[in-house]
Amino acid sequence: MASLINRKLTGLVAATFTPLTAQGEPNLPVIGPYVDYLVEKQGVLNVFVNGTTGEGVSLCTEERKRLTEEWCRRGKGKLNQVIVHVGCYSLKDSQELARHAAEAGADGIAVIAPSFFKSATADGIRRFLQEIAAEAPTLPFYYYHIPAVTGLSLRARDVLEGIDALIPTFRGLKFSGSDLMDFGQCVSYAKPHWSLLYGVDEQLLAALSMGADGAVGSTFNYLGPLVSGLLTAYGKGNVSQARTLQLQMQEFLCPAVKQGFDVAMNKQLMSTLSGLPLGPPRLPLLPCPAQLTLSVAERIQQVSREHRS
């Protein structure tokens, strides 16, 4: 068990989509081919399951359990780490999912701060996280900071203050925000065994320069080789090449954002590019118009071809 706790999470982590049938039910048989696609086509060996990209908060507890079990089962021997997001509005539900993730064979768990009844203090969030982490004492624990979704104005750095004393299994942060000063302060405060993972794909290079250990993102599902190239170039000190690759990512992301690059479009984009039948998003999200998705997909394919050449 100690080996799990001591494994540092680095590099690319794909924030996975949740395959759904046309009727909106979890489509578990797709997960096996999904794992193979990530490993063989994208070179991505770590996943973040049931998070924002996976529409986790739109799924019931039992659905999330089944998805966790299938990702852990299908990923065994193929993926390096399966990190499961277990955050819910309900503390009790989060605790139940944390216990289940440990039983299912997950390699770590992450929790987002509740966004309906919001904590006014960092201490409130820390205590919430502590109660959940205690239910899976053998698993690395990560705080998931995404203020654009939660609406929290609290800095991630304030949440980290003294957190390792409350949560012995605390191993890092998924920082999905644009405040690079806050992220930099997290890096300054972090312990050597923590992983600081950045979650805004279009400005990953900036986070790497601040000291990020890796990244968790939705576009890594279909831009794995390009972003791996960015990480490799930066690691070798070739900042110019890394910048070129980052700008290539932005070339398609910028127009996509202008057209409404949300989870629904992103999911349809992944289906189009990968050939995997991921299905529609869950209501209240509506499917993205096919023609809009195709125009974005064509641009991504062009960028990918340019990268390979």
Side-chain angles (χ1 to χ4, degrees):
M1 294 299 183
S3 61
L4 265 185
I5 291 293
N6 294 328
R7 290 174 65 193
K8 185 160 181 171
L9 182 58
T10 60
L12 291 188
V13 184
T16 59
F17 299 91
T18 294
L20 298 177
T21 66
Q23 294 72 40
E25 299 299 318
N27 195 355
L28 299 183
V30 176
I31 292 176
Y34 195 161
V35 169
D36 292 339
Y37 173 82
L38 289 175
V39 173
E40 297 169 9
K41 302 295 185 182
Q42 299 301 313
V44 176
L45 302 178
N46 303 298
V47 295
F48 187 89
V49 176
N50 292 341
T52 303
T53 301
E55 305 170 80
V57 295
S58 295
L59 304 170
C60 72
T61 301
E62 289 306 312
E63 288 173 327
R64 289 171 72 168
K65 285 182 177 180
R66 294 201 303 272
L67 287 159
T68 295
E69 291 167 3
E70 193 69 5
W71 274 104
C72 289
R73 185 172 74 87
R74 293 292 189 174
K76 188 173 183 180
K78 295 181 178 181
L79 297 172
N80 287 342
Q81 295 199 45
V82 176
I83 308 301
V84 179
H85 173 246
V86 300
C88 303
Y89 291 130
S90 162
L91 173 62
K92 295 295 184 181
D93 286 347
S94 292
Q95 290 174 317
E96 182 179 343
L97 287 173
R99 290 191 296 269
H100 175 265
E103 294 166 358
D107 298 287
I109 56 174
V111 173
I112 194 173
S115 57
F116 190 89
F117 291 114
K118 301 179 180 67
S119 175
T121 67
D123 183 55
I125 296 177
R126 282 192 297 267
R127 291 176 62 182
F128 181 79
L129 301 177
Q130 180 187 24
E131 293 291 322
I132 300 167
E135 298 299 314
T138 63
L139 292 184
F141 184 89
Y142 302 90
Y143 171 50
Y144 180 10
H145 176 73
I146 181 167
V149 171
T150 62
L152 287 177
S153 58
L154 295 168
R155 299 188 317 150
R157 169 63 182 83
D158 293 336
V159 176
L160 296 188
E161 183 69 32
I163 199 168
D164 50 331
L166 293 175
I167 306 175
T169 56
F170 188 81
R171 289 299 180 272
L173 170 72
K174 179 183 185 291
F175 190 103
S176 294
S178 58
D179 186 347
L180 287 174
M181 185 168 80
D182 186 19
F183 182 70
Q185 290 299 293
C186 291
V187 172
S188 294
Y189 181 75
K191 307 300 185 286
H193 57 281
W194 291 6
S195 295
L196 280 300
L197 305 166
Y198 197 64
V200 182
D201 303 3
E202 61 270 29
Q203 54 190 53
L204 172 57
L205 179 57
L208 291 173
S209 71
M210 298 296 293
D213 297 297
V216 183
S218 60
T219 64
F220 310 154
N221 283 281
Y222 46 81
L223 285 178
L226 186 148
V227 186
S228 291
L230 189 160
L231 290 180
T232 299
Y234 184 81
K236 292 180 177 179
N238 191 341
V239 177
S240 177
Q241 175 65 12
R243 184 188 302 117
T244 296
L245 295 174
Q246 181 72 93
L247 293 176
Q248 283 183 335
M249 286 182 66
Q250 292 181 355
E251 281 181 27
F252 90 83
L253 280 172
C254 188
V257 168
K258 289 180 180 178
Q259 298 179 73
F261 189 61
D262 59 4
V263 170
M265 178 192 281
N266 209 358
K267 188 175 191 178
Q268 182 58 41
L269 195 55
M270 174 62 175
S271 292
T272 301
L273 292 168
S274 68
L276 296 167
L278 298 181
R282 178 163 283 184
L283 289 169
L285 298 181
L286 295 174
C288 177
Q291 191 56 46
L292 180 57
T293 302
L294 284 173
S295 66
V296 177
E298 288 171 0
R299 181 59 186 139
I300 292 175
Q301 289 168 332
Q302 180 182 347
V303 169
S304 298
R305 286 193 296 270
E306 290 171 357
H307 170 64
R308 287 194 296 268
S309 63

